[in-house]
Amino acid sequence: MGATATNPFKDQIHFLTKKLLPFALYALLPLALLRLYFYPIPLPHSSTDQLPVNSPIFTTSSFSSSSSSSSSSASASSSSSSSSLAPPSRKEENATEIQCDYTNGTWVPDKSGPLYNGTSCSTIKENQNCIRHGRPDLGYLYWRWRPNQCGLPRFEPEAFLGLLRNRHLAFIGDSMARNQLESLLCMLSTVSPPELIYRDGEDSHLHIFRRWIIPSHNVTVSSYWSPFLVNGIEKSNEVSYNKLYLDSIHGKWGSDLEGMDMVVLSVGHWFLHPAVYTDGDSVLGCHYCPGLNHTEIGFYDPLRRAIKTTLNSILQKRGGSRGNSINVIVTTFSPHHFEGPWDKAGACPKTEPYKEGEKSLEAMDQQMRDIVIEEVDAIKSHDKKIGRMRLEVLDITKLAYMRPDGHPGPYMNPFPFANGVRERMQNDCVHWCLPGPIDTWNEILLQVMKRWED
């Protein structure tokens, strides 16, 4: 038999494959590594990467057209289906970054202290000038509010005045509104002293109406005494109860509303007093009115009606597309800290803030706060009607409740213990020392104003 013929090409291919394959692998490996480096394989997102987002107290403003409102609604309804298809824009990322819930946080020590003191500011009401009246413990001045979600910068007077240049800011409400106003004026006075240009009489302890100008920025700041926001007749020596007309706003500030660019509303404590409530010609009922033939209805519903009437009146006069825009801030209820009789020493003796969880918010304080938030939310839901009116809540109830140490107490009067401890001694455990915790209200207010401008 002859020898079997071999295929030289087959042997050559086998030889080439054996020799060249390792070189090909060595060449491809670096290329594969370069590909992975520059174009990594996307990994599926874990659910733990998505942090829960709380509803912030201050979000983007309500200043929008109806078209933008419609597009926002459409975007919200389709977010679940489109979020994985398109990355957020830089503008959307910035909007997420600036949102902050200032409501929840902790008071932390702060060595820097306040911007002003009891002698450097001339607009402090004497009853709140705790330093000048000899309060010996000054530790209450060295705390700052630290929100859980973000930082709260120190107050910047120049920035605040810049945002208000050529505008009119009005504080409307009770003595808590005045307390916040005087805090603000003191903080602004560190760079540009305000000039009082009008007040309604030297003998008025309430100063029902006052107005300042800050010439450096042409800023006007006004204070309107209106403890119910709506029309009312305050109690007197002859009549032991207030009478509230819940269907109409207070005449003085209502008639001046057209000239205001921004208002801060703050009421609450006067609703706790005995009162009779009316709507038009009808008496709705009363709160603590023994001897009168009226139904007891408490004070929660009257407060709600007053807030509703106020916001609807502003909306009707300045909302929609009519005229210039107006910015409205509604401050929530600021709790008192009486721990004993108001006329005894030690009525509010604390010298440090409460720690988180140390004391729960009282039910009444919570309810007063919730009413304000609910009524503001109800107005903001009418996006087409709200138009050029921007509206936010300044939710200070919790952070105020945690500061039992910030009130004048007996130091509402000068040197109350100079002659020993008297049997009867008036205390103020409602208003705030200046400087004091209420300065924080205005730090948050500035952040809201900055967000509006953004």
Side-chain angles (χ1 to χ4, degrees):
M1 299 289 296
T4 304
T6 60
N7 188 343
F9 293 104
K10 182 177 179 180
D11 294 340
Q12 185 176 5
I13 292 171
H14 178 73
F15 173 79
L16 291 174
T17 302
K18 185 176 180 180
K19 292 291 185 181
L20 293 179
L21 183 59
F23 292 105
L25 291 175
Y26 292 146
L28 290 174
L29 183 60
L31 292 175
L33 292 175
L34 287 172
R35 169 62 175 80
L36 288 173
Y37 179 80
F38 287 105
Y39 301 98
I41 298 172
L43 297 176
H45 289 289
S46 168
S47 59
T48 58
D49 293 336
Q50 307 299 320
L51 297 179
V53 179
N54 295 330
S55 177
I57 295 301
F58 305 116
T59 59
T60 53
S61 72
S62 301
F63 178 69
S64 61
S65 64
S66 58
S67 61
S68 64
S69 171
S70 301
S71 64
S72 297
S73 300
S75 174
S77 64
S78 62
S79 61
S80 61
S81 60
S82 63
S83 60
S84 61
L85 300 178
S89 66
R90 185 60 190 162
K91 183 177 181 181
E92 290 171 334
E93 289 177 355
N94 288 339
T96 302
E97 290 170 2
I98 65 173
Q99 289 181 355
C100 179
D101 180 359
Y102 297 105
T103 303
N104 297 299
T106 308
W107 288 98
V108 296
D110 177 34
K111 295 181 180 180
S112 58
L115 293 177
Y116 63 98
N117 58 51
T119 58
S120 65
C121 180
S122 61
T123 57
I124 300 178
K125 189 174 184 288
E126 278 300 308
N127 289 2
Q128 278 103 53
N129 200 333
C130 302
I131 298 175
R132 179 175 287 181
H133 283 184
R135 178 170 172 172
D137 64 305
L138 300 181
Y140 70 95
L141 298 173
Y142 297 94
W143 296 87
R144 280 191 59 76
W145 180 246
R146 178 190 289 167
N148 291 338
Q149 294 183 339
C150 57
L152 178 60
R154 282 176 65 83
F155 188 81
E156 303 167 90
E158 285 284 3
F160 193 99
L161 290 171
L163 292 171
L164 271 184
R165 186 182 297 276
N166 301 321
R167 296 179 182 177
H168 179 195
L169 166 64
F171 283 78
I172 304 168
D174 56 20
S175 54
M176 296 307 300
R178 183 186 62 210
N179 204 179
Q180 184 181 351
L181 161 75
E182 290 169 347
S183 160
L184 176 64
L185 291 177
C186 285
M187 297 169 89
L188 296 178
S189 70
T190 59
V191 298
S192 187
E195 298 178 9
L196 181 65
I197 58 175
Y198 180 83
R199 62 182 174 186
D200 57 351
E202 296 290 338
D203 298 330
S204 173
H205 72 286
L206 293 175
H207 292 307
I208 293 174
F209 172 67
R210 290 184 292 174
R211 177 164 290 168
W212 295 261
I213 60 168
I214 303 177
S216 62
H217 293 73
N218 192 31
V219 171
T220 302
V221 183
S222 299
S223 170
Y224 291 82
W225 171 256
S226 182
F228 315 112
L229 295 178
V230 294
N231 273 318
I233 301 174
E234 296 174 25
K235 61 185 180 179
S236 64
N237 293 331
E238 291 75 30
V239 181
S240 61
Y241 55 86
N242 302 310
K243 187 171 184 179
L244 278 64
Y245 303 90
L246 297 174
D247 58 330
S248 60
I249 59 174
H250 190 263
K252 175 58 180 172
W253 73 262
S255 62
D256 291 350
L257 185 61
E258 290 296 332
M260 300 174 187
D261 300 294
M262 179 174 173
V263 298
V264 177
L265 308 172
S266 180
V267 293
H269 286 276
W270 274 68
F271 282 83
L272 309 182
H273 298 182
V276 173
Y277 311 112
T278 67
D279 185 347
D281 296 329
S282 303
V283 175
L284 301 175
C286 71
H287 168 56
Y288 192 70
C289 56
L292 298 179
N293 189 24
H294 300 312
T295 303
E296 171 66 44
I297 62 172
F299 50 82
Y300 292 134
D301 186 60
L303 172 63
R304 184 181 297 278
R305 285 173 176 257
I307 298 293
K308 188 189 300 289
T309 296
T310 298
L311 296 180
N312 278 323
S313 296
I314 297 175
L315 182 61
Q316 291 168 8
K317 290 175 179 286
R318 299 291 301 275
S321 58
R322 295 181 293 277
N324 296 325
S325 63
I326 185 169
N327 301 330
V328 181
I329 295 286
V330 189
T331 306
T332 60
F333 188 68
S334 177
H336 71 76
H337 290 96
F338 284 102
E339 296 187 15
W342 66 272
D343 60 348
K344 298 292 185 181
C348 42
K350 294 287 192 298
T351 58
E352 289 188 354
Y354 289 132
K355 296 179 176 62
E356 180 68 31
E358 182 177 349
K359 190 172 177 63
S360 300
L361 192 64
E362 301 290 342
M364 185 202 75
D365 302 328
Q366 181 74 51
Q367 183 71 8
M368 298 287 275
R369 167 196 178 268
D370 291 349
I371 288 171
V372 169
I373 293 175
E374 290 163 6
E375 291 307 312
V376 168
D377 285 346
I379 293 291
K380 291 175 71 173
S381 67
H382 304 309
D383 188 65
K384 291 183 179 179
K385 294 181 180 179
I386 202 169
R388 297 178 62 82
M389 172 179 160
R390 296 190 286 198
L391 175 63
E392 286 294 353
V393 171
L394 190 66
D395 187 2
I396 53 82
T397 301
K398 181 179 178 181
L399 61 95
Y401 188 68
M402 296 174 70
R403 289 305 304 271
D405 58 320
H407 302 289
Y411 295 96
M412 63 179 294
N413 296 306
F415 301 96
F417 301 108
N419 298 315
V421 179
R422 300 191 304 273
E423 182 179 352
R424 295 177 63 85
M425 180 174 294
Q426 189 176 8
N427 290 268
D428 182 356
C429 303
V430 176
H431 302 98
W432 301 95
C433 292
L434 294 178
I438 199 169
D439 296 334
T440 302
W441 292 209
N442 292 314
E443 290 180 333
I444 299 174
L445 176 60
L446 174 57
Q447 297 309 307
V448 179
M449 293 167 62
K450 284 183 174 181
R451 187 161 307 155
W452 277 341
E453 290 302 314
D454 292 341

